[in-house]
Amino acid sequence: GGGGGGTVSSSATGAGAAGGGGDDVAPTVHSANVLSMVLSDVNHPLGQLIADFAFAFKANFHYSYGDCNRLLENAVDDLHSFLARLHEFCGKVFVLPKTVDSRVLIKEVVISKVWPTLFELYKAVNQHRDAMIMVKNESLSSITVREIGIKKEHWLFDGDTTATTSTTHATSTAAAATPVAVATPLSATSTPSNTSAADGEKRRARGVSVLRAGQLGVVSGERVNDPLLGHTPYTAAVEQLLFLPRYKTIARKLHCLIRVSRAILDAVDDFYSGERSEDEIVLGTEDKFPILSFVLIKANVPHIYSELAFIKAFADTKQLRDEAEYRLTELELALDYVSTLDWNVVDEHGVLLPLKFLERRALMAVQDGVRRFENDVGVEPRKLWLAEVLTLCGSQRLGRAADQPLAFDSDDFEFASLLLWNSHRVAYVRFATDVLGALGIRLDARRDDEMDGGSGGSSSGGGVGGSVLPRGTVSYMSPPSAVAAAAAARRCRRT
């Protein structure tokens, strides 16, 4: 009702708000806590309305009822519709002061009631992505602060780190800033289907074992002596991130992400406490991102993609402002980054790189090589042979040592004949050198004395480091993994 005559205190809301008792007055809610208590009380008409909606929501949108994507879409629509109507009704029943963000408060109360059913739908829809990132995190569980790309001053390590270098750094033959591929097998992992949770867990475990099998080649050798291997800083941030699945409301989940960020900053501050003045401790965005990625890997939060999708679907614009919005975006970027890391792809410092990095380098090298070839020769070069080179390098690399060359007989492959006998072979050798060099592959042509009879073979051509491309055998040093080679091969075919 409307009308004058003053307002009723918040303690009278239970009797006068919806019961239509003595005064025809809209009670004023003086605090958010009172409104939350009213909406959560099943003995109050509004609380009973929310409880009835939660019961109907569970009855209509259980994840086992069929197409989870369709169920989730309908569930989100119904929930938003109910929230809008409930807020409109509360605005008529109560006088809501500006100090109370009633829309956000109502949403938090309602979502907490339907959260179990709603989040099961999110888990069913995102189960493949959730499983893959869990497998990826477990395969990267032994990653060090050096290998994730954290700056040395943020390692928070007092010991001596000069005792060893990474295996990949020791075997690197590429130039500075060129990625080097480590020879470790990597296979596609299985993803859970719409079967039982036990079956999904078995598939996830098999996927972890496959990825860890690929990791063994990196863990062996000098890396086992790396003093950073058992060093796990930022444990407070990891613990804070592990609280994320426990919260049922958007506000608490966003506050959790903010606490993770502050825990990272506090860890750096505490480590340098007493050594530097406060204004000298700087942790920029680029410095913090690999730290957050490290925390994300170590925490390995279950159903992290579902958590992210849930927050993005129901976070209010008032909630996604200032720091909260930035932290959510930061988490999303870190998830995408970690999901593309691979033990097989590292730079000359032993820092893991995303596979997309190699793909972009390969594509740019092919495009630049085509333009250079056309400018030098005047005709467009053939390109499909590049896919053959990369596929052979990737497939033959499995099971070989990182520094063991791959030799191919020139009579068996189209690319070898093209590089040896084509009238534009000098330009083709330069083209091949540039493209393969972008992937950390060195074209290391060598003579076959038995075939050439010691005659020296062909005397023209352009190899790497001034070597001559001969007739006979072509070997490739440090080729990429099968995954990287296949990805680059697809790009070459498109080009």
Side-chain angles (χ1 to χ4, degrees):
T7 60
V8 179
S9 66
S10 57
S11 61
T13 56
D23 296 331
D24 189 15
V25 176
T28 299
V29 176
H30 296 294
S31 70
N33 290 335
V34 174
L35 180 59
S36 178
M37 289 173 58
V38 169
L39 297 177
S40 302
D41 186 5
V42 294
N43 295 318
H44 189 279
L46 287 178
Q48 183 61 48
L49 178 64
I50 295 175
D52 292 342
F53 173 78
F55 180 82
F57 189 90
K58 180 179 180 180
N60 285 283
F61 298 114
H62 195 271
Y63 70 94
S64 63
Y65 286 171
D67 185 359
C68 290
N69 288 280
R70 180 182 57 81
L71 285 172
L72 179 59
E73 182 180 355
N74 293 337
V76 171
D77 288 343
D78 283 8
L79 183 53
H80 279 302
S81 177
F82 178 77
L83 290 172
R85 295 295 298 273
L86 183 60
H87 179 263
E88 180 183 357
F89 182 68
C90 288
K92 295 178 180 179
V93 174
F94 301 117
V95 176
L96 302 174
K98 294 182 179 179
T99 56
V100 178
D101 194 349
S102 57
R103 186 181 298 276
V104 173
L105 183 65
I106 293 171
K107 180 180 62 180
E108 296 291 295
V109 173
V110 175
I111 287 181
S112 67
K113 302 296 183 183
V114 301
W115 181 82
T117 302
L118 180 62
F119 196 69
E120 285 297 326
L121 286 176
Y122 274 102
K123 290 197 299 185
V125 170
N126 296 283
Q127 61 175 328
H128 296 285
R129 299 186 72 185
D130 285 335
M132 289 303 294
I133 193 61
M134 283 201 72
V135 169
K136 176 64 71 174
N137 285 339
E138 292 195 31
S139 71
L140 297 172
S141 60
S142 65
I143 196 169
T144 65
V145 287
R146 176 197 286 122
E147 292 164 335
I148 196 65
I150 299 175
K151 286 187 176 181
K152 188 173 183 178
E153 56 265 31
H154 301 141
W155 289 355
L156 311 187
F157 186 72
D158 289 325
D160 183 14
T161 60
T162 60
T164 182
T165 57
S166 67
T167 304
T168 52
H169 177 58
T171 59
S172 172
T173 58
T178 301
V180 180
V182 182
T184 54
L186 183 65
S187 176
T189 59
S190 301
T191 55
S193 60
N194 291 325
T195 56
S196 65
D199 292 338
E201 181 64 24
K202 291 179 181 178
R203 288 187 174 89
R204 188 187 65 80
R206 286 199 297 269
V208 172
S209 64
V210 170
L211 282 176
R212 283 182 172 167
Q215 181 186 345
L216 291 178
V218 183
V219 174
S220 62
E222 297 180 6
R223 188 175 184 270
V224 297
N225 299 319
D226 191 341
L228 293 173
L229 199 56
H231 176 55
T232 309
Y234 305 102
T235 54
V238 173
E239 292 171 358
Q240 287 292 340
L241 189 57
L242 287 172
F243 279 108
L244 185 66
R246 302 185 185 184
Y247 299 125
K248 300 180 180 180
T249 63
I250 302 299
R252 291 191 175 186
K253 289 181 182 292
L254 291 175
H255 290 160
C256 177
L257 298 182
I258 293 175
R259 290 197 302 272
V260 170
S261 176
R262 293 176 181 173
I264 292 175
L265 300 178
D266 290 343
V268 177
D269 289 342
D270 293 343
F271 183 79
Y272 289 107
S273 177
E275 298 184 16
R276 302 182 183 181
S277 61
E278 186 175 352
D279 57 348
E280 291 179 332
I281 301 174
V282 178
L283 189 65
T285 302
E286 294 182 359
D287 300 332
K288 184 186 172 188
F289 183 78
I291 300 177
L292 179 62
S293 301
F294 180 81
V295 170
L296 186 64
I297 292 171
K298 295 299 182 180
N300 198 9
V301 178
H303 312 295
I304 186 65
Y305 273 114
S306 299
E307 296 281 358
L308 182 63
F310 173 68
I311 297 173
K312 291 173 65 177
F314 291 98
D316 192 85
T317 54
K318 293 183 179 180
Q319 293 175 303
L320 287 180
R321 59 186 178 188
D322 301 329
E323 187 176 3
E325 181 180 13
Y326 185 80
R327 299 307 164 211
L328 183 62
T329 304
E330 196 176 45
L331 175 64
E332 187 174 12
L333 293 175
L335 270 174
D336 292 339
Y337 177 75
V338 170
S339 66
T340 60
L341 292 180
D342 196 316
W343 283 110
N344 297 298
V345 185
V346 296
D347 67 7
E348 77 281 4
H349 301 297
V351 178
L352 272 66
L353 298 173
L355 286 174
K356 293 180 181 178
F357 180 82
L358 282 181
E359 293 181 25
R360 287 195 299 267
R361 287 180 68 102
L363 182 59
M364 293 177 62
V366 170
Q367 293 172 342
D368 293 341
V370 169
R371 286 192 291 267
R372 182 177 179 181
F373 193 99
E374 291 176 341
N375 292 334
D376 293 345
V377 179
V379 296
E380 182 179 355
R382 295 163 59 184
K383 297 178 286 293
L384 188 59
W385 59 274
L386 284 172
E388 182 183 28
V389 172
L390 296 174
T391 302
L392 283 170
C393 289
S395 61
Q396 296 295 324
R397 169 54 59 194
L398 300 182
R400 292 173 177 262
D403 57 349
Q404 183 179 358
L406 305 179
F408 303 107
D409 186 58
S410 61
D411 296 331
D412 295 336
F413 302 102
E414 178 186 2
F415 75 87
S417 300
L418 182 68
L419 297 181
L420 292 171
W421 302 110
N422 191 278
S423 58
H424 303 303
R425 66 192 182 99
V426 174
Y428 270 113
V429 168
R430 186 184 301 114
F431 187 19
T433 300
D434 292 343
V435 173
L436 298 179
L439 296 172
I441 307 173
R442 190 178 71 203
L443 180 63
D444 187 27
R446 63 185 181 186
R447 299 184 191 284
D448 188 333
D449 293 335
E450 296 181 0
M451 180 176 293
D452 291 344
S455 62
S458 175
S459 60
S460 61
V464 174
S467 61
V468 178
L469 182 69
R471 298 167 57 184
T473 305
V474 181
S475 66
Y476 297 87
M477 305 293 291
S478 301
S481 66
V483 174
R490 289 194 298 270
R491 296 279 184 161
C492 290
R493 291 191 182 100
R494 294 171 189 167
T495 304

